[in-house]
Amino acid sequence: MAIESTSGPAHLVIKLQGGIGNQLFQLAFGNYVQHGCSSPVSYISDAFATDPYGRKNIATCLFPNIPLVTMQDVIGLDCRLLRESALTDLLIPVNLQSMLVSQQIRQCLLDGYWQDLTYVSEIVTSNIKAAMCTWAEKADSAKFEDCRNRIARAPATIAVHVRRHDYKHHGICRENYYVDTLHRLLEQAPQSEIMIFSDEPNYTGHFLRQRGLHPNIIAAGDDLLDMYLMSRCDMHVISNSTYSWWGALLAGKLTVVYPLPWSTIHVPAANFFPPHWFGVDDAVSSAVDPMRFTKSLARLKI
């Protein structure tokens, strides 16, 4: 869809990038600026053609009719690039609109992850939940039906997300974060069943069973379906990942436990976590302890 330069509000283009959690934040942000600036909004998904992790555009799976443009549509127009990293504070729609008008900007490409609860309205959350339900209704998978039935039959459920193999740069949640949190929850709700969502399910099941816990591995074979199943659980122990952040938010439950620090390489927005969620300190460790190699290499002689 080509962008036409017309009179009226500037056309805003949101760059879609990253995994499912990141894309949901970008969709929420698009809605935020669309209504706050009274501007038309489109989305650009070119980044997935060269994504190093092979991630796909899930936005159009959930919302097939969202307006998409390409970088080719943007090139050649007087389009201003605004990176989230260049901002020192929350993006306020009235301020963005004022800048666009004062600088006579007709098109603006907004590039960022926009991970702030301020950008996530209740309407957007409701729309995403509805789209997830539609995606689940279309699923034709025995694995998905088995997982859904196991969750539905349980008297109460604790969704546990363990993400490891592509997340070492952000830090990995400690095993004791999961073990101690689960024991604490089971003391108060002993009838609850543990539902594991993980990119390393064998590892996760092994260390939990070693600590006296009885996990159920949930894997529908589709990341969107897994998030839907996660959102059907009663309590949540999430990893430092926007994937399970959204799984917990869409569930709308009171008991959500998250790890701190959220990342070893950046600090999340001040308004990133819902106020009723519970943070656990010292739950994330760097993948590599730099002092370990420093001390070992000090003994190397040639």
Side-chain angles (χ1 to χ4, degrees), residues 15-18 44-52 55:
K15 182 179 180 181
L16 294 172
Q17 57 191 320
I44 189 167
S45 60
D46 293 31
F48 297 109
T50 56
D51 187 276
R55 293 169 295 197

Side-chain angles (χ1 to χ4, degrees), residues 3 5 10-15 29 42 44 69 71 73-84 86-87 91 95-112 114:
I3 302 175
S5 181
H11 191 112
L12 305 178
V13 181
I14 312 298
K15 182 179 180 181
F29 177 73
S42 297
I44 189 167
V69 297
M71 189 61 72
D73 295 324
V74 174
I75 292 174
L77 295 172
D78 184 17
C79 185
R80 180 68 58 88
L81 172 63
L82 179 59
R83 297 186 188 276
E84 182 186 17
L87 302 176
L91 189 145
N95 294 343
L96 174 62
Q97 189 176 40
S98 176
M99 181 199 74
L100 296 172
V101 171
S102 65
Q103 298 184 26
Q104 298 183 326
I105 298 171
R106 302 303 312 136
Q107 291 85 25
C108 184
L109 174 61
L110 296 160
D111 181 358
W114 316 108

Side-chain angles (χ1 to χ4, degrees), residues 53-70:
Y53 296 102
R55 293 169 295 197
K56 307 297 183 184
N57 172 10
I58 62 88
T60 50
C61 295
L62 294 175
F63 302 101
N65 296 322
I66 64 168
L68 283 178
V69 297
T70 68

Side-chain angles (χ1 to χ4, degrees), residues 216-286:
N216 296 280
I217 304 299
I218 301 297
D222 176 280
D223 289 340
L224 278 176
L225 291 178
D226 281 346
M227 181 180 283
Y228 167 82
L229 293 168
M230 190 182 294
S231 74
R232 308 301 292 176
C233 293
D234 302 303
M235 294 174 277
H236 294 259
V237 181
I238 69 174
S239 69
N240 51 336
S241 164
T242 57
Y243 180 87
S244 50
W245 186 100
W246 275 101
L249 187 80
L250 294 172
K253 305 296 184 180
L254 293 177
T255 303
V256 179
V257 181
Y258 62 89
L260 291 171
W262 184 250
S263 172
T264 59
I265 60 175
H266 74 86
V267 178
N271 191 34
F272 182 64
F273 302 107
H276 65 277
W277 289 13
F278 186 85
V280 176
D281 292 322
D282 197 29
V284 175
S285 63
S286 176

Side-chain angles (χ1 to χ4, degrees), residues 22-43:
N22 288 324
Q23 291 179 60
L24 293 181
F25 272 112
Q26 290 149 12
L27 288 170
F29 177 73
N31 180 80
Y32 172 80
V33 293
Q34 180 176 16
H35 289 88
C37 296
S38 299
S39 295
V41 167
S42 297
Y43 297 85

